[in-house]
Amino acid sequence: MQRRDFLKLTAALSAAGALPFWSRGLMAAERPELPVPALLPADARSEIAITAQAGFTQWNGKRVPSWGYNGNLLGPALQLERGKAVTIKVTNRLPHATTVHWHGLEVPGEVDGGPQARIEPGQQRTVTFTPDQPAATCWFHPHQHGETGYQVAQGLAGLVLIRDNEAEKLLLPKLWGVDDIPVILQDKQLSADGAKIDYQLDIMHAAVGWFGNMMLTNGVSYPHHAVPRGWLRLRLLNGCNARSLNIAASDGRPLYVIGSDGGLLAEPVKVSEIGLLPGERFEVLVDTHDGKPFDLVTLPVKQIGMTLAPFDQPLPVLSIQPLTVLASGSLPDKLVAVPPVPSLDKTTDRWLQLMMDPQLDSQGMQALMDKYGHKAMAGMEAHGAMVADHGAMKHDAMNHDAMQGMAGMKGMSGMEEGSSSAAGYDFRSGNKINGLAFDMHKPAFAARRGEYEKWTISGEGDAMLHPFHIHGAQFRILSENGKPPAAHRQGWKDMVSVNGWRSEVLVRFNHAASAEQAYMAHCHLLEHEDTGMMLGFTVA
């Protein structure tokens, strides 16, 4: 850290004293302070050590068992430098096997951390790679097949910050925890007695995803944070298992989007609110020069299962209190060079049809309505009436091009496998891509390294949201649910929304992935992923 930055940091951290005593006391009494994950750069040997471990976290006055990396909950923010090799040693001190996936990093399959890269309890895994991609906010989390949702719900997640020279030249806010703030958003459900995280992967959650009734920001409920007056940078991560979010300022002040999953945009994009899919990241700047406090809120979304209280109205997730000290960052007119979308003349086309077994759909939706009533259906009451015809609808929805894209695939007759007997139905393979549930030992296809591919990901015939993620690359969205991508979604991405229609992305893989350490492509609604909506693929 340069001396001037250190001085600014010291001044800003001590600036809480600029608030009147009664104001500071009131803030502290009403809500907790925002925990800021520690920055963890590589040491002198270019190594980083993280440990997955069990611990306890205080929620609602109860000591609740939780999991974290290098602590009780969540983890540090790993700081990587573009072009500099790093070795990361992961130790597993959990009672379960786990993996660590580097979500958003363009790394070879052998270090990507998919479900094949198991770390047994008491064991260690070491990976070495050299980041070679633009500055970005990425993250890391478990990818243990069948348990990803459970392990993320227990608290395993952390940020990865990639730095590069081009981004460092910009006068953006850069003082970690002062004017550059990580905001990790997750919902949680506790047991009735508040003594544990109430995670269940049953037929209801396999259909709609696991959701909670408590919103956490960096692991605590509705914290406050004092910031210098000026431009504030928020690194937003939707770390929820299944819930999509829609973030805004409580007083309507605009948000200026400067970056998405894979890096900074070409120029800031002004928005009044910004949607985040599960697993998605955005960097936004907010102007606090007026010195007025405000809340960051998540607005109601139209998603099955996600409309119940307290999410049926704007819900505050972070209270921001500007101080009298001034920040030094700015909002540039231009950010970084983002290359134009290449020509589509010579691309390999792939079709991925996302589908849910009719029986999982029918029984899952019925379980949801039995427990919560029609208010949980997000205004999609007709969905339940369509369930009986859902199997035919899915097949009808796949047009001639879709069927051609799936031609030659084995197991098409298995699309509704197990749906004839309710008693014997196994929902754990009830979500599929191109008619097949995930098979770790059978990659679905082979991509050619360095060549562009156009993927069409279809959710036709399915009323569910599917936040789709591709490992090993950053892509460009060509269309999202049949529409051109919004301006702030036109940069580098690794997440795309598939919501009842087709989305198209242009992707190129620059690293190899063998059959033994294949890349994954999957729905990032974690319970869909855990119950089959994932495939592996190789790159050579």
Side-chain angles (χ1 to χ4, degrees), residues 158-285:
L159 294 176
V160 179
L161 311 183
I162 303 175
R163 296 174 21 140
D164 71 5
N165 291 333
E166 188 175 10
E168 287 302 304
K169 292 176 183 177
L170 297 171
L171 298 180
L172 293 168
K174 296 187 181 76
L175 296 178
W176 185 251
V178 179
D179 58 7
D180 184 355
I181 310 298
V183 181
I184 303 171
L185 300 165
Q186 296 178 305
D187 58 342
K188 285 280 186 287
Q189 178 75 42
L190 301 182
S191 58
D193 61 3
K196 66 177 183 177
I197 297 168
D198 186 17
Y199 185 88
Q200 299 179 40
L201 181 53
D202 52 23
I203 199 163
M204 181 185 80
H205 293 106
V208 303
W210 183 73
F211 54 90
N213 59 8
M214 177 173 67
M215 195 68 197
L216 302 177
T217 304
N218 295 359
V220 301
S221 180
Y222 187 24
H224 75 85
H225 195 62
V227 301
R229 190 174 302 194
W231 286 104
L232 175 65
R233 182 181 192 171
L234 301 174
R235 299 179 187 253
L236 304 173
L237 162 64
N238 181 346
C240 299
N241 282 41
R243 183 182 299 280
S244 58
L245 302 171
N246 192 18
I247 301 300
S250 59
D251 58 2
R253 70 181 66 203
L255 310 176
Y256 295 86
V257 187
I258 62 167
S260 57
D261 297 330
L264 297 176
L265 304 178
E267 58 187 27
V269 178
K270 182 180 178 181
V271 299
S272 58
E273 58 193 57
I274 184 165
L276 281 90
L277 303 168
E280 197 167 37
R281 292 89 62 212
F282 283 101
E283 294 187 36
V284 302
L285 260 59

Side-chain angles (χ1 to χ4, degrees), residues 373-389:
H374 283 281
K375 61 184 178 181
M377 294 303 293
M380 303 180 193
E381 284 81 359
H383 183 273
M386 295 190 298
V387 163
D389 298 322

Side-chain angles (χ1 to χ4, degrees), residues 395-443:
H395 289 285
D396 292 342
M398 289 185 285
N399 63 12
H400 179 67
D401 291 337
M403 296 307 293
Q404 281 188 327
M406 295 164 59
M409 293 193 65
K410 298 179 181 180
M412 288 295 287
S413 62
M415 282 188 188
E416 300 180 27
E417 184 177 344
S419 62
S420 58
S421 171
Y425 177 66
D426 182 7
F427 66 83
R428 292 180 183 274
S429 58
N431 284 301
K432 297 177 169 68
I433 300 179
N434 289 349
L436 299 173
F438 175 61
D439 186 336
M440 194 182 308
H441 306 292
K442 294 182 179 179

Side-chain angles (χ1 to χ4, degrees), residues 310-342:
F311 296 93
D312 55 348
Q313 57 189 344
L315 181 68
V317 298
L318 175 62
S319 175
I320 296 173
Q321 172 66 62
L323 302 170
T324 56
V325 65
L326 295 178
S328 59
S330 64
L331 177 67
D333 292 330
K334 300 292 183 182
L335 294 167
V336 298
V338 177
V341 175

